[in-house]
Amino acid sequence: MKLAFTISTLSQGGAERVITNMANHWAGKGHEVTILTLSVSSINSFFKLDSSIKVVGLAAGRSSKNPFEAVINNARRIFAIRKTLKTLAPDILISFMTETNILSIISTVGLSFPVIVSERANPKVYPNSIIWKLLRSVVYPIADKIILQSEASKDNFSGIIKKKCAVIPNPVSYVKDSKQDFKVTIKQKKTIVSLGRLVEEKGYDLLLNAFSRIRAHHNDWSLVIYGDGPLRGQLEGAMDELKLSDAVQFPGITNDPTEALLKADLFVLSSTTEGFPNALCEAMACGLPVISFDCLYWPAEIIDNGKNGILVPTGDVNKLAEAMEALINDNDHRETLAKEARKITERLGADKIMEAWSKLIDKLV
């Protein structure tokens, strides 16, 4: 089978990682896989791709200075996608991310292969442009299938779109070296870890504030936030203002999030909104005790509060600080949560999720 993907870039990010894993899975099964990115500069994947996978940069990712340029640039993107797909003649096209999904649907009108689009962010929040939201409502019914991350997210769409929706969450890989029997070890320093882009919706300002409230009583604990983004300077400034520079690190992007998680003692997801919390699931698969804001969507569908993790009200810094301190002080509870957390791979294991994708594709081609 010939499979084609479209996505804006192959840089760091949850959607990029998932599309890479899916492409590698099907390439490993002997299928011909091509990934189209909107710009030439994005053809180098942050995540490792199978050598058989072809990546085509469309040189169509230029930024727009005004609405007129936006129309012209998007027309160029549509033309570039359509021209390339007509040459590739895939058996199916899978597109990731709202704007790219819309452009991909329009570019394939009249072509003979089915199109699946996948919403990766929270559709209640994204896109934040009224124009793109309107285009989504008009264009999405043309797609053959629309993949969402959760059942609850269907409520953000009209009835005609809902009929074409299917829920397939992200795959969570089994971690061979996970903390199968998490034991609290006696060491000088313990680490709270978080991973993600340094953007507003990740709530790292809230996490810093929560950590500052417990730091004085727990000098043996530090906070490490992996990732990069536009708010790095602002967050580092907040760290200094809270006098946490000796206890908080921003090491940047990690090429091996699994290794970073396995070195940690506690994971915190401070996001105020999520399409699908990849980092949370990865932390659980690694056998870490986890705390998460109960944001839309997914944390409450993943965490059975008090059994395999802790949920706190979204944005409540006091409750987050209390939950962190409670687990820091309760070694037994951390061990129990960690043991149950690993079972996430039984529900969202990569083989199970990819089987769902394969069954869907078989129905369409």
Side-chain angles (χ1 to χ4, degrees), residues 256-280:
D256 192 347
T258 299
E259 181 183 7
L261 290 167
L262 289 173
K263 290 179 179 179
D265 302 279
L266 175 64
F267 174 87
V268 176
L269 181 82
S270 55
S271 297
T272 55
T273 180
E274 281 281 349
F276 186 89
N278 292 302
L280 173 65

Side-chain angles (χ1 to χ4, degrees), residues 106-121:
I106 295 172
S107 70
T108 56
V109 171
L111 301 184
S112 60
F113 50 83
V115 177
I116 300 174
V117 297
S118 182
E119 281 283 323
R120 311 311 299 180

Side-chain angles (χ1 to χ4, degrees), residues 27 49 96 106 110 113 126 140 144 180 183-184 207 229 285 317 330 343:
L49 277 173
F96 273 36
I106 295 172
F113 50 83
Y126 298 101
Y140 267 29
D144 293 276
Q180 296 187 31
K183 295 293 182 184
V184 174
L207 178 54
V317 173
D330 193 338
K343 296 178 182 179

Side-chain angles (χ1 to χ4, degrees), residues 290 303-311 327 333 336-338 340:
V290 300
I303 293 176
D304 184 353
N305 193 26
K307 183 178 180 181
N308 64 350
I310 302 295
L311 289 171
L327 285 190
H333 197 192
T336 301
L337 292 176
E340 290 296 320

